Amino acid sequence: MRKRILRRNMARWLLPLALLVPLCAEAASVDNLRLWAAPDHSRLVFDLSSPVTAEVFTLEDPRRLVIDLQDSEFNADADRLDLSGSAIREVRTGVRNGDDLRVVLELSRAVEPRHFTLEPNEQYGHRLVVDLEYPGESAVEDPIDPIEAKIREQEIAAERAQAEAVAEGRDPDTVTPAAKQAQPHPKRDIIIAVDAGHGGEDPGATGPAGTREKDVVLEMAKRLSRLINATEGFKAVMIRDGDYYVGLRQRTRIAREQKADFFVSLHADAFNSPRPHGSSVFALSQSGATSETAKWLAASENRSDLIGGVDGNLSLDDKDEVLRGVLLDLTMTATLNDSLTIGGRVLDRMGRVNDLHKSQVEQAGFVVLKSPDIPSLLVETGFISNPQEERRLRDGSYQQRMMQAVFGGIRAHFERNPPPASLLAWQRDQGRGGAGDEYRIQPGDTLSEIAARHNVPVGQLRQANELNGDVIRVGQVLRIPSS
Ligand SMILES: [Zn+2]
């Protein structure tokens, strides 16, 4: 502390001198610190008066992270930083080599540090971002069961192999042999990825009364997740469940890692005038937006990464997500059809809770909707820029009814079209006769035997039951087509 006062006084004396000599680069000042705690990392942001060069390294015994900023001084209040939920126990600062700043973080756990600088944008000036990543930690608080994940992985792989065969003009039956014995029915949950838009450094839109989009959508995401988890046969995975930023591509990557059957992103956006109001539902469009508002909203959502900071690992992992050529087209078309169907059901129900901004599912190029094989929707729950809707968006009972509408639409879709390994599919089959033109699969059955016994080609049996994997399940009911 005394050192700092000394330096200030010196600066006062030296200032006239400095004007006489050619101006050397002015020292950067750390004006503010912000901290965001996520399940798999903490992000510490330094707000700076000008760009800095930083060096970041860890020390052991006790565990510390050292951040050296060249030619910088500290003018923030580290004591006011809320450290709860983060890996940081304490922040200390000191002067080094006369002009340099050293910030030492006392840590409560092992971290892998990563840092980068950001240029000024609409909201913030120069920034140094230090991410403290926790090795081996999941990005979500409540990840799916590893066994369920394995089952899903097999389903996805089988579906992909089938789509590939169709795309290449091969007989799908040669890809997935029909000789495999019936498996026990896994009765798995249907996984819904719930994405609260924005977060952390990116507040999203702000209403005339100061309501922040990132806060109301997080409240709604929590409500939606509770509704989903309270429903047998469904499980919610929250893409973010606190006030921290997740990169746009990272959001879809988490959904894939968690083997989501469906992805829904919640928003409450603003327009450049207070008049527009009403809720809307968006699916992906790869070729232009269906309306001017759609274009405007997509552009403002996609700016998020500039404000919240992109995820550094992206370019590498992104390659996994690229399915090429015809396969991609086929998958994308099927996925988009599902998205539009589910979107219609959600929109219907939302129309009973709030005015609709548009009576149809709109389409626009939102980055967050670009998973090739997970049906995805972006829901604008209302315009936060409209004073009346801003008030509703903060209201718990409005939030609840809105989320009931969203889940109602999703649920209705999956009840009609349950994935074969899901509990919902098993329940549906228990209600079916299993007689006449139907057959209930018994332990030891294979698809080719069942086909032979009923005198139908395997391909036809598959088609009639929309079987696109190589797995059949005990208790599953097959419709036997008349040959
Ligand atoms: Zn938004």
Side-chain angles (χ1 to χ4, degrees):
M1 197 61 180
R2 196 185 301 155
K3 241 182 201 165
R4 197 192 290 161
I5 292 167
L6 192 70
R7 283 194 60 203
R8 276 224 185 106
N9 285 337
M10 270 171 66
R12 196 172 300 156
W13 290 112
L14 290 175
L15 197 63
L17 269 180
L19 291 175
L20 295 176
V21 291
L23 265 172
C24 37
E26 203 180 322
S29 152
V30 176
D31 297 326
N32 189 29
L33 282 183
R34 288 174 290 134
L35 179 67
W36 316 105
D40 62 342
H41 73 276
S42 298
R43 168 169 287 188
L44 185 62
V45 181
F46 295 73
D47 288 306
L48 304 161
S49 62
S50 51
V52 293
T53 308
E55 215 176 299
V56 178
F57 55 94
T58 49
L59 289 175
E60 294 297 316
D61 300 317
R63 210 171 256 147
R64 281 154 295 163
L65 187 75
V66 179
I67 304 160
D68 282 336
L69 292 89
Q70 252 176 43
D71 198 20
S72 307
E73 53 185 33
F74 195 77
N75 293 314
D77 187 355
D79 295 336
R80 279 181 53 191
L81 202 61
D82 178 11
L83 302 176
S84 54
S86 79
I88 304 169
R89 245 204 291 258
E90 203 198 326
V91 181
R92 288 185 286 110
T93 61
V95 178
R96 221 177 132 260
N97 301 338
D99 292 320
D100 297 346
L101 170 67
R102 169 162 283 189
V103 177
V104 179
L105 311 178
E106 301 282 349
L107 301 175
S108 58
R109 62 184 300 163
V111 304
E112 274 166 18
R114 202 160 59 83
H115 70 281
F116 54 92
T117 53
L118 291 172
E119 300 270 297
N121 63 23
E122 290 161 23
Q123 255 126 335
Y124 303 104
H126 287 282
R127 283 154 293 161
L128 167 69
V129 179
V130 181
D131 280 340
L132 286 63
E133 287 174 0
Y134 314 153
E137 207 71 61
S138 169
V140 296
E141 196 70 72
D142 181 21
I144 71 164
D145 182 85
I147 296 168
E148 294 236 326
K150 200 85 217 151
I151 295 165
R152 278 290 287 141
E153 227 159 74
Q154 286 164 357
E155 277 182 309
I156 293 165
E159 274 167 32
R160 193 165 294 172
Q162 290 281 315
E164 225 158 25
V166 172
E168 289 164 6
R170 281 180 289 136
D171 177 4
D173 286 344
T174 61
V175 180
T176 47
K180 213 176 203 173
Q181 284 200 353
Q183 307 280 301
H185 203 299
K187 302 174 197 167
R188 73 165 179 90
D189 286 338
I190 293 167
I191 311 292
I192 312 294
V194 177
D195 175 42
H198 312 278
E201 280 208 279
D202 169 21
T206 306
T211 311
R212 292 182 303 185
E213 179 184 3
K214 68 171 182 179
D215 297 329
V216 289
V217 296
L218 181 60
E219 286 166 22
M220 284 192 269
K222 286 180 175 167
R223 287 178 187 277
L224 179 57
S225 298
R226 281 198 292 270
L227 285 170
I228 293 168
N229 287 331
T231 307
E232 198 187 28
F234 286 91
K235 175 173 163 48
V237 169
M238 291 186 78
I239 302 294
R240 77 166 172 101
D241 63 357
D243 190 11
Y244 51 89
Y245 186 71
V246 181
L248 294 179
R249 297 267 180 198
Q250 166 82 348
R251 292 176 196 243
T252 59
R253 198 189 328 150
I254 294 174
R256 293 170 69 86
E257 272 167 19
Q258 297 298 314
K259 315 291 173 211
D261 292 277
F262 186 71
F263 175 94
V264 58
S265 188
L266 300 173
H267 292 260
D269 266 294
F271 201 60
N272 49 16
S273 98
R275 237 175 318 123
H277 69 285
S279 308
S280 26
V281 173
F282 290 88
L284 180 67
S285 156
Q286 294 194 286
S287 55
T290 42
S291 77
E292 272 309 300
T293 331
K295 200 184 288 175
W296 199 89
L297 288 174
S300 74
E301 293 305 353
N302 292 345
R303 267 202 302 272
S304 274
D305 273 350
L306 295 177
I307 300 161
V310 284
D311 190 284
N313 301 321
L314 273 183
S315 42
L316 286 174
D317 290 21
D318 222 26
K319 279 181 194 147
D320 299 341
E321 293 185 22
V322 179
L323 300 166
R324 270 163 296 133
V326 192
L327 173 60
L328 180 63
D329 280 351
L330 272 184
T331 316
M332 277 297 232
T333 309
T335 306
L336 186 57
N337 284 342
D338 278 351
S339 304
L340 290 169
T341 313
I342 301 172
R345 290 179 185 278
V346 168
L347 199 65
D348 269 356
R349 287 164 178 79
M350 279 171 54
R352 296 173 213 157
V353 181
N354 194 24
D355 288 346
L356 294 181
H357 183 67
K358 283 270 154 56
S359 58
Q360 283 149 1
V361 178
E362 291 199 80
Q363 289 183 260
F366 292 100
V367 170
V368 87
L369 299 180
K370 285 186 177 169
S371 289
D373 51 1
I374 305 175
S376 308
L377 291 176
L378 187 143
V379 175
E380 293 286 358
T381 52
F383 277 92
I384 209 166
S385 45
N386 176 286
Q388 234 174 332
E389 282 197 354
E390 180 187 24
R391 230 171 300 135
R392 305 193 79 186
L393 287 164
R394 297 163 72 138
D395 174 31
S397 92
Y398 175 83
Q399 291 182 349
Q400 187 71 9
R401 279 179 294 134
M402 192 45 93
M403 291 305 105
Q404 277 163 344
V406 171
F407 182 48
I410 297 169
R411 186 179 176 176
H413 171 81
F414 282 109
E415 276 170 352
R416 278 184 83 116
N417 313 282
S422 65
L423 175 73
L424 261 61
W426 186 81
Q427 284 173 335
R428 177 201 55 193
D429 283 353
Q430 298 322 291
R432 283 165 75 177
D437 63 347
E438 289 180 336
Y439 176 74
R440 192 187 304 280
I441 295 171
Q442 305 297 313
D445 278 348
T446 67
L447 199 60
S448 49
E449 275 169 20
I450 298 169
R453 231 181 295 149
H454 292 86
N455 233 344
V456 285
V458 172
Q460 222 174 314
L461 188 61
R462 256 205 181 110
Q463 213 172 19
N465 293 281
E466 291 176 41
L467 296 176
N468 50 12
D470 59 347
V471 181
I472 54 170
R473 296 167 185 91
V474 175
Q476 192 176 1
V477 174
L478 297 182
R479 207 175 63 75
I480 309 295
S482 44
S483 50

